[in-house]
Amino acid sequence: MSSPEQWTHPEPREGPAATAAAPSAEQVIAGLRATSEGGPELVQLLTPEGERVENPEFDRYVADVTAADLRALYRDMVLVRRADREANALQRQGQLGIWVPLLGQEAAQIGAGRALRDTDMVFPSYREHGVAWCRGISPKEILGIFRGTDHGSWDSNAKRFHPYTIVIGNQVLNAAGYAMGQRFEGKVGDSDSEATMVFFGDGATSQGDVHEGFVWAAVYDAPLVFFCQNNQWAISEPTERQSRLPLYQRARGYGFPGIRVDGNDVLATLAVSRWALDECRHGNGPVLIEAFTYRMDAHTTTDDPTRYRHSDELEAWKLKDPIERVRVNLVRHEHADQDFFDSVQADADALAADLREFCFTMPEPPVRQMFDHVYAEASPFVDAQRDEFLAYQANFAGGEH
């Protein structure tokens, strides 16, 4: 079988152009499966065994990360995973209508989230529980979305974190528009400038909204980091069903840089995200990051992943666990002892218990709330509907039902 290099396009100045105009199905699959470890372009600073890998280009972006900082990153990931597992259990017990797990993607989200500054803006999809954590949003505030009591209770302007977006890829257009505004208002150009980061999955890259966002951001040099969490499965479809090239290389077609990072390596993700945000702040236009990771759980709690992927694939990725590699590194360099790990686990258990209690006692929202925030400004038409409905409801004994 021909090697993938015979038909995939290399990065600029890194090899000859493609020679096979129409690769076979076997070549397509071989080319993509050859990236099962991320491929030669993968940026990695911590191996799955927790060993530090030197990288002349990106080491400087994490040169300030101390042992205490690495412990903090570890704590973030453990607590976010524990909250995620508790919410998953709550859904199984009928307390949530649905849940979207992030199991396995903690490093991608915490690394990117901790690279952001307070002035940056974030546009999430519906799985960014870890990024929300980094923006100071409690898991409690996310539960209401999946319990059906609200659409997100946080102040998106104050937290610089927009509400979750359920429509696949739609947030990319919103983010492109916001980043264009940052450009028009002169909020880019130096190290103290602003940037925007938008999160989406590998499946969303097949949506028109994402490509339109690429076009607008590129044409206007918008300070926008496109952060693709490639967890290998767009619900039940693998990556090779969507692209003949690794996803990060798609950026070349729009005229801006793309990069692939080990999404299970929190240190590498932090470094690459800092670099990309720095590029945007200085007015160099957008950047695409493909965080090469793996979804260890179902797409949502309505999904059965055993119907479309093999257990041996899951077992192989368990060996690349993002939390374990940080723990091993901390132990190897004697930057953390058992007391530290025990305290983190205790904090995680306390968070889960608090989350469970909150979910059980979460008050039912008033019926009139469904009429709130339909439009940015008050609407006489919606107000009339609300008044009519509330009057109708008041005719029943006991009021609300």
Side-chain angles (χ1 to χ4, degrees), residues 75-220:
R75 183 179 184 275
D76 282 338
M77 291 192 291
V78 171
L79 266 63
V80 166
R81 177 175 290 188
R82 187 68 180 87
D84 173 74
R85 295 297 81 200
E86 192 62 36
N88 204 76
L90 286 166
Q91 192 282 329
R92 296 306 190 196
Q93 296 163 16
Q95 296 300 317
L96 301 177
I98 193 174
W99 181 248
V100 185
L102 63 67
L103 185 65
Q105 298 179 220
E106 296 87 358
Q109 295 195 16
I110 296 301
R114 290 306 182 196
L116 293 157
R117 295 178 184 171
D118 291 342
T119 53
D120 295 328
M121 183 60 80
V122 179
F123 286 79
S125 61
Y126 45 72
R127 201 188 302 273
E128 277 68 54
H129 320 317
V131 184
W133 172 269
C134 294
R135 302 308 271 178
I137 296 170
S138 167
K140 294 179 181 178
E141 297 182 85
I142 296 174
L143 286 187
I145 302 171
F146 298 99
R147 193 175 171 90
T149 60
D150 58 61
H151 300 296
S153 59
W154 60 87
D155 184 332
S156 59
N157 288 323
K159 296 293 186 180
R160 309 292 285 173
F161 187 87
H162 271 244
Y164 274 19
T165 304
I166 306 302
V167 180
I168 304 297
N170 181 251
Q171 71 277 10
V172 176
L173 277 178
N174 298 333
Y178 188 91
M180 286 165 60
Q182 289 175 311
R183 181 81 181 189
F184 295 155
E185 294 176 2
K187 295 181 178 180
V188 298
D190 55 44
S191 299
D192 296 324
S193 298
E194 296 182 8
T196 294
M197 183 175 279
V198 58
F199 292 84
F200 52 95
D202 49 294
T205 63
S206 296
Q207 292 289 113
D209 286 8
V210 174
H211 293 274
E212 291 169 15
F214 285 175
V215 170
W216 283 98
V219 169
Y220 286 92

Side-chain angles (χ1 to χ4, degrees), residues 48-365:
E49 295 75 30
E51 298 177 353
R52 181 70 164 84
V53 179
E54 291 187 2
N55 186 303
E57 184 176 359
F58 289 101
D59 281 345
R60 63 192 179 96
Y61 289 97
V62 289
D64 63 331
V65 175
T66 64
D69 294 329
L70 195 58
R71 288 194 296 270
L73 292 170
Y74 173 86
R75 183 179 184 275
D76 282 338
M77 291 192 291
V78 171
L79 266 63
V80 166
R81 177 175 290 188
R82 187 68 180 87
D84 173 74
R85 295 297 81 200
E86 192 62 36
N88 204 76
L90 286 166
Q91 192 282 329
R92 296 306 190 196
Q93 296 163 16
Q95 296 300 317
L96 301 177
I98 193 174
W99 181 248
V100 185
L102 63 67
L103 185 65
Q105 298 179 220
E106 296 87 358
Q109 295 195 16
I110 296 301
R114 290 306 182 196
L116 293 157
R117 295 178 184 171
D118 291 342
T119 53
D120 295 328
M121 183 60 80
V122 179
F123 286 79
S125 61
Y126 45 72
R127 201 188 302 273
E128 277 68 54
H129 320 317
V131 184
W133 172 269
C134 294
R135 302 308 271 178
I137 296 170
S138 167
K140 294 179 181 178
E141 297 182 85
I142 296 174
L143 286 187
I145 302 171
F146 298 99
R147 193 175 171 90
T149 60
D150 58 61
H151 300 296
S153 59
W154 60 87
D155 184 332
S156 59
N157 288 323
K159 296 293 186 180
R160 309 292 285 173
F161 187 87
H162 271 244
Y164 274 19
T165 304
I166 306 302
V167 180
I168 304 297
N170 181 251
Q171 71 277 10
V172 176
L173 277 178
N174 298 333
Y178 188 91
M180 286 165 60
Q182 289 175 311
R183 181 81 181 189
F184 295 155
E185 294 176 2
K187 295 181 178 180
V188 298
D190 55 44
S191 299
D192 296 324
S193 298
E194 296 182 8
T196 294
M197 183 175 279
V198 58
F199 292 84
F200 52 95
D202 49 294
T205 63
S206 296
Q207 292 289 113
D209 286 8
V210 174
H211 293 274
E212 291 169 15
F214 285 175
V215 170
W216 283 98
V219 169
Y220 286 92
D221 282 333
L224 178 56
V225 177
F226 297 99
F227 195 96
C228 174
Q229 294 178 82
N230 180 4
N231 63 24
Q232 313 300 311
W233 291 95
I235 306 183
S236 59
E237 294 296 334
T239 309
E240 62 260 25
R241 291 285 184 90
Q242 303 181 75
S243 178
R244 292 171 61 177
L245 289 171
L247 297 179
Y248 77 96
Q249 292 188 16
R250 286 186 170 183
R252 293 176 54 210
Y254 299 90
F256 56 86
I259 188 169
R260 171 178 279 185
V261 65
D262 184 345
N264 283 21
D265 178 352
V266 69
L267 200 61
T269 306
L270 176 66
V272 168
S273 297
R274 282 178 169 179
W275 163 77
L277 288 164
D278 192 53
E279 285 289 298
C280 290
R281 291 192 185 99
H282 282 84
N284 295 329
V287 176
L288 170 62
I289 297 175
E290 178 193 355
F292 197 79
T293 181
Y294 192 79
R295 168 167 56 81
M296 300 293 289
D297 204 342
H299 175 70
T300 73
T301 47
T302 63
D303 171 41
D304 179 8
T306 64
R307 298 183 64 182
Y308 55 81
R309 67 184 186 188
H310 298 296
S311 59
D312 57 347
E313 179 179 299
L314 179 63
E315 292 303 314
W317 276 91
K318 284 182 179 180
L319 300 176
K320 306 169 190 176
D321 186 279
I323 296 177
E324 183 63 16
R325 69 177 67 184
V326 178
R327 188 193 69 80
V328 171
N329 181 272
L330 289 170
V331 171
R332 176 179 288 121
H333 296 285
E334 298 183 348
H335 291 323
D337 55 20
Q338 191 57 46
D339 288 343
F340 166 75
F341 295 115
D342 289 344
S343 68
V344 171
Q345 189 58 53
D347 289 345
D349 291 341
L351 174 64
D354 187 41
L355 198 61
R356 172 171 288 270
E357 176 64 22
F358 174 80
C359 188
F360 282 144
T361 59
M362 191 184 301
E364 294 292 329

